[in-house]
Amino acid sequence: MHHPDLCIAGAGIIGLSLALELYNRGYRVTVFDQGAPLAESSTAAAGMLAAHDPDNPPQLLPLSTLSLSLYPDYLNRIHKLSGIHVPFQTHTTLQSVPASATIADRELRCEDLAHLLPALTPGDHRFIRLDEHSLDPRQLAAALLVAVRATTIDIQPYTRVFSTRSIDNAVEITSSNGTTHAAQFISCAGAWAAATSLQPNLPVAPKKGQMFSILLPASLSLHLVVRTPDIYIVPRTAGPAAGRAIIGATVEDVGFDKAVHPADIDRLRSLAATLLPAISKTRPLEAWSGLRPATSDGLPLLGVLPNQPNHFIATGHYRNGILLAPATARVMAEFVAGERPSVDLSPFSLDRTATKITSH
C-alpha cells in the first residue's frame, strides 16, 4: 500500500504543473499516466500564450491574466529544479481581426506591417499588434519533467487508473499498479478524462489538431507570431529548433484518431503562404497531430466532482493548456487546500454543465 496525500491522473502539462505546486506546499503527490509523461497535447502545441486571442471566451480572461503574471516565477522554479532555462521564443503577435472590429487605436496599417514583416501579404485581413509571448512546449516539457523528477513526486507512467471510490475521508484508487489510498484525487487526464470509468459522462471530448514545422527560408526573418482564425505561424528563435516555424492547425471532431493527412497539411501550408508567400517554397520537416481537451463552451472544468467527496477535476483547457498551466496549478492547489482561489472558479464549475454544456 502506498499512501500519498494526493493522487493525480494525467502527467501532462496541467497534471505535472499542479503536482509541482502541491509539492511546494508540502504535499506528498503521486501522478499516474496511462502513457508516457507529457507525450500528448502538451508537446503537440504551438506554445502561444494567447491570453488576448479574440477567439477566447471572455470568461477565460481573469484566469489567463493570472497565468501570465505567474509565468516568470513558474519558469524560474522549473529552472532552479532542472537547471534548464526555457526562453520565450517571441514577444509580439500580429492578430487578424474582423473588419467590423472597433479597435482603430491598435490597428496596423499596411505600411506598418511592411515595416514589421516585409513578406506579409495582408489581403483581406486587418491586423492588430499584441504584446504576447510564445515558447517551445517541447523545451518546456523536457525541463518540467526533469524538475518534477528532482523532487519526491512519484510519477507512475504506463499506469492506467481503473476506478476510484471514497472511503471515509479518503480515496481508494485502483490502477494497473495496484491499490493506492490518498486523501484527495484530481483528474487531469485531458482529452481522455471522459474516456475513463472515473467520470464517463464528463462533458469533455478530443478535438484533433494537425500541424507541421518548416525550416524558414533565408529570405524570411520571422521573429513574431502571425495568427488569423484559420492559421497560425509561430517561429522558433532560440534553442534546438531555432530557424523553424510551427504552422497549424486543423480542428476536427474525429474521436481519438491522430492520423496525419498530407492533404490537410498541404491546405495549411497554402493558407500560410497567403500571408507569407515564401512559405509556398518550403516543405514540412515534421507533421503531427494532438488531441485538445474541449468543452462545448470553450472553458475548462476546474473544481470538485459532484457527489464524489475529495474528487476534483482540472481539464478541458482546449487550445490554452500551455498558457493556463501556472494559473490552473495555483487555483487548484488553493481549492483543494480549502483556500479561496485567486480567481473566481464558478465559470469553470461542473455545475454549469447541467444547462450550458452537453457532451460532444
Side-chain angles (χ1 to χ4, degrees):
M1 290 288 187
H2 182 54
H3 296 282
D5 298 315
L6 188 144
C7 286
I8 294 172
I13 187 75
I14 299 297
L16 291 189
S17 296
L18 176 54
L20 199 58
E21 181 78 18
L22 291 165
Y23 165 81
N24 284 322
R25 285 170 163 257
Y27 283 71
R28 295 170 298 169
V29 182
T30 292
V31 185
F32 303 106
D33 198 285
Q34 63 184 357
L38 298 158
E40 294 294 343
S41 59
S42 301
T43 44
M48 295 171 286
L49 305 186
H52 298 285
D53 186 332
D55 288 335
N56 286 349
Q59 302 96 316
L60 200 61
L61 187 58
L63 189 65
S64 300
T65 302
L66 173 64
S67 220
L68 289 179
S69 72
L70 294 175
Y71 238 101
D73 284 344
Y74 171 71
L75 294 178
N76 187 52
R77 179 183 298 173
I78 291 171
H79 184 200
K80 286 182 176 179
L81 285 168
S82 68
I84 301 171
H85 172 60
V86 179
F88 289 125
Q89 299 282 331
T90 62
H91 306 279
T92 302
T93 292
L94 294 184
Q95 170 72 53
S96 173
V97 294
S100 58
T102 56
I103 45 177
D105 59 320
R106 299 171 68 189
E107 184 180 355
L108 295 173
R109 300 165 297 177
C110 288
E111 52 265 37
D112 297 322
L113 293 176
H115 173 69
L116 284 168
L117 191 60
L120 185 68
T121 305
D124 296 328
H125 298 280
R126 291 175 58 214
F127 285 87
I128 57 173
R129 178 175 178 166
L130 300 177
D131 295 325
E132 176 185 292
H133 299 304
S134 73
L135 49 73
D136 184 341
R138 296 183 183 183
Q139 285 186 328
L140 176 59
L144 177 59
L145 189 55
V146 173
V148 169
R149 284 179 169 160
T151 71
T152 58
I153 295 168
D154 178 24
I155 303 178
Q156 298 190 19
Y158 304 103
T159 302
R160 176 143 190 187
V161 176
F162 295 128
S163 65
T164 66
R165 63 171 179 156
S166 296
I167 300 177
D168 297 326
N169 199 33
V171 181
E172 182 182 83
I173 301 105
T174 302
S175 74
S176 54
N177 270 358
T179 300
T180 305
H181 290 88
Q184 296 166 309
F185 173 83
I186 306 178
S187 175
C188 300
W192 285 264
T196 70
S197 61
L198 306 181
Q199 188 75 9
N201 297 317
L202 196 69
V204 60
K207 289 268 191 180
K208 177 181 173 182
Q210 298 180 60
M211 54 205 300
F212 67 101
S213 66
I214 61 168
L215 183 65
L216 288 167
S219 61
L220 182 55
S221 179
L222 189 62
H223 296 281
L224 48 77
V225 172
V226 181
R227 186 171 63 227
T228 78
D230 301 315
I231 196 77
Y232 56 70
I233 307 163
V234 185
R236 299 289 186 243
T237 61
R244 299 186 180 192
I246 310 300
I247 298 174
T250 63
V251 179
E252 307 171 55
D253 288 306
V254 291
F256 293 92
D257 172 21
K258 291 176 63 180
V260 175
H261 302 286
D264 293 322
I265 299 301
D266 286 344
R267 184 180 63 82
L268 291 172
R269 188 165 62 89
S270 295
L271 285 170
T274 64
L275 296 171
L276 301 177
I279 287 176
S280 65
K281 299 179 174 63
T282 65
R283 290 291 179 267
L285 293 173
E286 179 188 3
W288 64 92
S289 69
L291 300 176
R292 314 173 185 96
T295 62
S296 62
D297 64 0
L299 297 173
L301 302 172
L302 305 176
V304 64
L305 290 174
N307 305 314
Q308 298 191 54
N310 302 312
H311 285 65
F312 303 87
I313 185 79
T315 190
H317 293 77
Y318 192 35
R319 306 178 90 164
N320 289 299
I322 303 295
L323 164 66
L324 296 174
T328 299
R330 172 66 59 85
V331 299
M332 287 304 298
E334 293 168 337
F335 191 77
V336 301
E339 302 170 7
R340 182 177 180 177
S342 296
V343 298
D344 178 16
L345 296 187
S346 61
F348 317 119
S349 169
L350 256 71
D351 292 341
R352 81 187 195 275
T353 64
T355 55
K356 294 183 180 179
I357 297 182
T358 56
S359 185
H360 293 251

